[in-house]
Amino acid sequence: MACSATAKIIHNPLVLSSSRSAEKYESCCKISGPSSLLGSKFLGKKLLSAKSAISLASRRSGAVVAVSSDVVKEKKVKSGSSAASNLLITKEEGLVLYEDMYLGRAFEDMCAQMYYRGKMFGFVHLYNGQEAVSTGFIKLLKQEDCVVSTYRDHVHSLSKGVPARQVMSELFGKTTGCCRGQGGSMHMFSKEHNVLGGFAFIGEGIPVATGAAFTSKYKREVLKEDCDEVTLAFFGDGTCNNGQFFECLNMAALWKLPIVFVVENNLWAIGMSHLRSTSDPQIWKKGPAFGMPGVHVDGMDVLKVREVAQEAIGRARRGEGPTLVECETYRFRGHSLADPDELRDPAEKARYATRDPITALKKYLFENNLANEAELKAVDKKIDEIIEDSVEFADASPVPARNQLLENVFADPRGFGIGPDGKYRCEDPKFTEGTAQV
Amino acid sequence: MEASFGVSSAAAANAVNSPALSPPSLPFIRSEARPISWRVDKSRKAGKITTKAVAAQAENPASAASKPGHEVLLFEALREGLEEEMERDPRVCIFGEDVGHYGGSYKVSKGLADKYGDLRVLDTPIAENSFTGMAVGAAMTGLRPVVEGMNMGFLLLAFNQISDNCGMLHYTSGGQFTIPTVIRGPGGVGRQLGAEHSQRLESYFQSIPGIQMVACSTPYNAKGLMKAAIRSENPVVLFEHVLLYNLKERIPDEEYVVSLEEAEMVRPGEHVTILTYSRMRYHVMQAAKTLVNKGYDPEVIDIRSLKPFDLYTIGNSIKKTHKVLIVEECMRTGGIGASLTAAINENFNDYLDAPIVCLSSQDVPTPYAGTLEEWTVVQPGQIVTAVEQLCR
């Protein structure tokens, strides 16, 4: 595993080069879609024979294929940059990625602490270990682009730009939270940063994401606005057996919606192993079945994720349609803070722990002289302070008052109807006190 | 949001993204808020009882300069409403099965795809939950989708999205996102359509916090409710009835909306308050004919707003007549009638001379056989009997 220049990605069925007869892929080479699916030929020419880089025999039926580093170098050289950039990122980009991943990790660790101290309640699902997916994708987005997530949404919100204070406050159930304390851990929303939730039922958010992508297309084609907004839908392996997933793959491909379906395959849906619940565990294959590219990427490696994300997001922006990206990742903690996490094999956990995305990026930054220890320590310190501040802020914030109870049920509060006295219920002074009978 | 409630001004809330779309001033019908004395019109009491929808219009205190208007069938009225709103606001779009090229299974969207294109009138694949969710996502990001369930029963597949997302997202997002969707479709018991196509979903949806439910019954209120629902910032479920699509009525040429929260006075009276909605309105009016001949004077109110109830109109009526009969097509258990009974008992118990009588459909899956189907829903004869018993 590496964040090295020998980018060992990816089963990439997008590649149409005939030299790609690496039979390990079996049917994955059959792509149903336009030939310039990638829009560029960068991932492409030479493939070495497949090496089982990771011993996935027991879990994944396909092998990871090593792609020649020439391909990556080729791309960089083409873009005419300086000699030092046969690297995948610049120093600035590297620091941004590192900071974002560290923010996610530190935040989630703090959540665990706060939960056990009784500051937050209910179901809290932590993202430790999966940071590369969130950072790899979301840091490529603009503010107007939309992100839809599941209940494991703290880090997606943070990556998208929602201030840590607002997220922490929301978790504490305070009125200064991003959803005024009304959503909670599983329902993070931000209109400013276009985070469309935060959904507790898996699969529920995918149609919402499809709708947001539809709006983007509608704005462009009906309202004739200059709109190239893209939507990312994040969800897990368990969701990929859900009807809404398939229905939305169909519609997104049918109408060429600007959406990327990002599967965070961490192999486990609470205690249900992906392999026990799925007839064909290779989720990326389901993309071509609906007429869109399906890509598999090492989700513990932020640079690989970022590369794939760039292409997928680029496709969407150019109006070429959706992409299904399966990120192989892992959650270091249990499903939620209430999960004792006894089913997973400690050896499996240990194996993935060695692939910690933050450690990997650090290593890459050091090895390629993009940053030194001191700089990263400074970032750590900055983030730690932000987290501390967010906790203090959340602690100091007020709990919602009674008058907040009935607000926001309806955008137009006339929806509460007309009372016996002929006035709208919302005109009742008790309404603003939250004690009205509705 | 709207600062002035109950004022005679256009109901439309401000457009989110297009400040240029300011609502034109329309005659905003808020008839039922006037005091009772207004309604007692001796010339009408004895007699112009008719089961035709025209009766509704006669009550309508619309614009003073009432033009002759034009005759439409109910489905055409719905289409007019849709079309006018689509013309007025380019963000209004329709999602549904066969709404585009086919024109809608009951022709409500006929011709609209030709006029507005395949993206504004979107023919969806058969995936109710997903395209309803899509409508939610589109609404959150600025569009105003109208979702058609080919038959209301199909929307059971979309229950997840309607309940969790339509109803709840405004609240769970702390008010950040609005979901101005309209969910509509034909429901109710038809002519031997079988159990699954004869469902009454109003009882299933009524508990969902965050949605409004209205039921249209005449071409006039169908168009008005459609327009009001589209303009509302709240998610609204508009219940249409399979057997009412061909009702004919003369409706105004000029633009109008009706209030989503108000009930409609169909026939003023003194002896008993009959509360009904949708198709049962016509059974009630048919029974009213018989009742009048027998010397009774029923007051018939079409509640129109199934959630929330217009307790003002209903309450004023009860204060006058002191007896209530609810006639609905919903199932007995947990239906609209059940909720209405509870609401009336809570609020107007002192004014009641007799317990509320609620006539609902039988709690059976609607049988196919014509005779059985007839006995499933409330028939005019039963209404007459109930009134006679109540008024004894």
Side-chain angles (χ1 to χ4, degrees):
Chain A
M1 110 104 175
C3 291
S4 66
T6 43
K8 284 184 293 192
I9 311 176
I10 289 171
H11 304 293
N12 201 331
L14 292 175
V15 177
L16 288 178
S17 166
S18 56
S19 67
R20 200 154 172 295
S21 53
E23 260 58 75
K24 301 280 180 198
Y25 285 112
E26 313 138 12
S27 58
C28 77
C29 293
K30 299 187 188 91
I31 301 106
S32 47
S35 55
S36 59
L37 286 173
L38 281 179
S40 68
K41 300 195 285 270
F42 90 95
L43 273 183
K45 319 283 177 66
K46 284 192 257 174
L47 287 174
L48 306 177
S49 55
K51 291 191 262 187
S52 285
I54 299 160
S55 59
L56 296 170
S58 61
R59 253 169 268 104
R60 311 225 179 189
S61 45
V64 174
V65 165
V67 175
S68 161
S69 61
D70 294 352
V71 168
V72 176
K73 278 186 209 157
E74 208 176 342
K75 167 195 166 203
K76 283 297 174 188
V77 167
K78 268 191 208 145
S79 63
S81 22
S82 69
S85 70
N86 48 356
L87 298 175
L88 297 167
I89 45 169
T90 63
K91 173 175 180 157
E92 290 71 37
E93 287 169 347
L95 287 176
V96 165
L97 297 180
Y98 178 80
E99 183 173 326
D100 192 56
M101 288 207 288
Y102 188 81
L103 171 64
R105 180 68 60 88
F107 189 92
E108 298 291 71
D109 283 340
M110 183 59 80
C111 279
Q113 266 195 60
M114 292 295 113
Y115 188 83
Y116 294 126
R117 278 198 218 165
K119 299 287 182 81
M120 59 178 86
F121 302 93
F123 293 127
V124 179
H125 308 83
L126 300 181
Y127 201 74
N128 297 49
Q130 301 183 196
E131 295 86 0
V133 180
S134 180
T135 301
F137 268 94
I138 300 181
K139 282 310 177 195
L140 293 170
L141 296 181
K142 305 183 294 194
Q143 181 147 358
E144 302 79 47
D145 294 323
C146 298
V147 164
V148 172
S149 180
T150 57
Y151 44 71
R152 207 178 296 281
D153 56 353
H154 308 167
V155 179
H156 294 137
S157 309
L158 292 170
S159 292
K160 192 66 174 54
V162 182
R165 280 184 158 195
Q166 281 184 23
V167 183
M168 192 59 85
S169 270
E170 184 61 32
L171 292 169
F172 281 30
K174 301 295 180 82
T175 193
T176 48
C178 53
C179 301
R180 307 180 79 198
Q182 290 166 194
S185 167
M186 300 185 280
H187 304 283
M188 294 288 169
F189 289 84
S190 168
K191 189 156 176 83
E192 192 191 333
H193 299 280
N194 288 300
V195 176
L196 303 184
F199 293 94
F201 289 14
I202 58 157
E204 208 175 42
I206 307 178
V208 173
T210 311
F214 179 83
T215 301
S216 186
K217 184 181 166 89
Y218 189 98
K219 280 188 190 170
R220 206 167 35 227
E221 296 184 16
V222 174
L223 302 179
K224 308 288 187 222
E225 288 173 18
D226 193 11
C227 175
D228 66 349
E229 287 151 27
V230 154
T231 306
L232 299 186
F234 291 91
F235 47 93
D237 43 286
T239 309
C240 295
N241 294 323
N242 188 273
Q244 287 176 95
F245 169 63
F246 299 112
E247 289 172 0
C248 290
L249 283 185
N250 178 44
M251 292 196 287
L254 182 65
W255 297 316
K256 286 222 168 115
L257 300 181
I259 183 172
V260 182
F261 296 100
V262 184
V263 182
E264 295 169 321
N265 184 352
N266 59 21
L267 292 181
W268 292 89
I270 308 188
M272 187 63 161
S273 154
H274 177 57
L275 302 168
R276 286 185 69 218
S277 69
T278 315
S279 57
D280 185 346
Q282 292 184 295
I283 301 170
W284 58 266
K285 274 187 186 174
K286 295 173 191 185
F290 286 91
M292 70 177 82
V295 190
H296 178 275
V297 67
D298 176 0
M300 304 305 275
D301 182 335
V302 69
L303 298 178
K304 289 177 190 162
V305 172
R306 191 180 152 89
E307 251 189 288
V308 169
Q310 242 152 6
E311 197 45 53
I313 292 171
R315 255 178 65 78
R317 272 204 218 290
R318 290 187 298 270
E320 291 165 23
T323 314
L324 176 66
V325 181
E326 178 187 355
C327 303
E328 179 202 333
T329 182
Y330 201 76
R331 53 171 165 80
F332 294 156
R333 290 182 180 265
H335 164 74
S336 72
L337 288 173
D339 174 18
D341 194 18
E342 288 158 351
L343 271 182
R344 300 193 299 174
D345 180 12
E348 177 189 87
K349 293 190 220 182
R351 221 171 12 244
Y352 277 99
T354 64
R355 292 168 63 187
D356 186 326
I358 298 179
T359 322
L361 180 64
K362 250 178 150 164
K363 186 161 172 270
Y364 183 87
L365 293 173
F366 292 156
E367 281 177 0
N368 294 284
N369 295 315
L370 288 174
N372 59 36
E373 190 82 42
E375 283 167 330
L376 294 191
K377 279 264 181 296
V379 172
D380 290 356
K381 184 159 178 296
K382 173 180 158 196
I383 296 297
D384 288 338
E385 281 169 10
I386 290 177
I387 307 284
E388 285 290 339
D389 166 76
S390 73
V391 171
E392 278 165 21
F393 175 78
D395 257 336
S397 293
V399 286
R402 181 93 196 229
N403 61 8
Q404 206 180 302
L405 181 63
L406 300 173
E407 294 170 23
N408 307 138
V409 177
F410 288 107
D412 178 356
R414 283 179 297 175
F416 280 116
I418 302 170
D421 58 0
K423 295 203 292 217
Y424 276 95
R425 282 251 163 74
C426 53
E427 297 171 308
D428 176 352
K430 287 208 190 130
F431 184 88
T432 42
E433 291 165 28
T435 53
Q437 177 74 37
V438 285
Chain B
M1 270 305 122
E2 278 306 283
S4 52
F5 302 116
V7 171
S8 200
S9 61
N14 292 318
V16 175
N17 294 327
S18 317
L21 291 174
S22 53
S25 55
L26 301 175
F28 178 71
I29 316 305
R30 184 123 193 235
S31 53
E32 284 70 42
R34 296 197 201 146
I36 305 263
S37 55
W38 177 84
R39 283 194 208 92
V40 175
D41 179 344
K42 308 258 188 293
S43 68
R44 277 200 208 116
K45 265 172 50 175
K48 264 214 263 194
I49 318 302
T50 163
T51 52
K52 282 200 233 116
V54 176
Q57 167 136 57
E59 309 297 310
N60 181 2
S63 44
S66 51
K67 301 185 186 156
H70 57 285
E71 267 196 341
V72 287
L73 302 178
L74 196 144
F75 76 89
E76 290 169 345
L78 287 167
R79 179 163 19 106
E80 269 187 32
L82 250 182
E83 196 169 348
E84 283 175 19
E85 291 305 300
M86 288 182 80
E87 193 62 47
R88 177 181 175 267
D89 185 345
R91 298 167 304 158
V92 178
C93 49
I94 310 177
F95 293 2
E97 294 158 15
D98 274 330
V99 292
H101 295 189
Y102 195 76
S105 53
Y106 288 89
K107 301 288 171 247
V108 172
S109 51
K110 186 166 179 211
L112 296 181
D114 289 332
K115 193 170 170 191
Y116 295 109
D118 283 346
L119 214 53
R120 281 192 83 181
V121 187
L122 188 74
D123 276 324
T124 60
I126 305 173
E128 277 79 5
N129 204 18
S130 292
F131 69 69
T132 305
M134 238 181 84
V136 172
M140 286 167 83
T141 42
L143 300 186
R144 303 186 76 90
V146 177
V147 176
E148 170 171 314
M150 192 183 258
N151 181 285
M152 269 290 189
F154 302 171
L155 292 177
L156 286 174
L157 289 139
F159 207 106
N160 174 197
Q161 293 289 346
I162 295 173
S163 161
D164 288 3
N165 289 347
C166 272
M168 294 192 195
L169 277 188
H170 185 69
Y171 194 79
T172 48
S173 68
Q176 292 180 81
F177 290 101
T178 56
I179 323 286
T181 49
V182 177
I183 297 173
R184 50 161 292 269
V189 176
R191 294 253 183 272
Q192 299 190 252
L193 299 179
E196 290 179 15
H197 281 83
S198 311
Q199 298 192 67
R200 292 126 282 159
L201 261 48
E202 47 271 25
S203 57
Y204 302 166
F205 288 154
Q206 68 174 316
S207 298
I208 299 174
I211 60 165
Q212 278 184 258
M213 304 197 315
V214 288
C216 63
S217 50
T218 67
Y220 179 82
N221 65 32
K223 178 175 174 182
L225 287 172
M226 171 73 89
K227 288 171 69 86
I230 293 175
R231 293 186 192 196
S232 173
E233 294 301 312
N234 298 334
V236 178
V237 184
L238 169 58
F239 290 91
E240 301 156 15
H241 197 286
V242 280
L243 293 180
L244 298 185
Y245 279 125
N246 287 322
L247 278 182
K248 192 186 286 198
E249 187 183 4
R250 181 162 286 274
I251 63 173
D253 288 329
E254 65 271 20
E255 209 185 354
Y256 68 94
V257 271
V258 302
S259 166
L260 288 174
E261 296 88 24
E262 287 184 23
E264 187 178 316
M265 176 65 68
V266 183
R267 179 194 187 280
E270 297 283 325
H271 288 167
V272 59
T273 299
I274 306 183
L275 303 172
T276 183
Y277 65 92
S278 194
R279 182 188 168 215
M280 288 296 116
R281 167 185 174 142
Y282 297 94
H283 281 203
V284 167
M285 291 311 288
Q286 207 180 318
K289 248 165 121 171
T290 314
L291 285 168
V292 164
N293 289 339
K294 292 191 176 190
Y296 294 95
D297 185 22
E299 177 154 292
V300 180
I301 294 177
D302 181 340
I303 61 173
R304 240 166 48 184
S305 175
L306 305 181
K307 176 182 154 103
F309 296 131
D310 177 1
L311 290 179
Y312 182 66
T313 307
I314 293 171
N316 286 340
S317 179
I318 295 171
K319 290 175 187 174
K320 185 170 60 162
T321 66
H322 311 296
K323 297 182 221 35
V324 180
L325 170 67
I326 301 172
V327 180
E328 58 163 2
E329 202 177 66
C330 230
M331 286 76 73
R332 164 153 236 94
T333 306
I336 300 290
S339 297
L340 193 49
T341 304
I344 295 172
N345 276 326
E346 267 174 19
N347 287 291
F348 306 113
N349 194 38
D350 285 345
Y351 297 98
L352 291 171
D353 281 348
I356 301 170
V357 178
C358 182
L359 298 177
S360 327
S361 294
Q362 300 291 322
D363 275 358
V364 299
T366 313
Y368 165 73
T371 43
L372 293 176
E373 185 183 69
E374 206 182 299
W375 295 322
T376 311
V377 299
V378 178
Q379 299 297 337
Q382 293 167 270
I383 302 172
V384 171
T385 311
V387 170
E388 285 176 331
Q389 280 183 336
L390 248 187
C391 292
R392 217 176 8 214

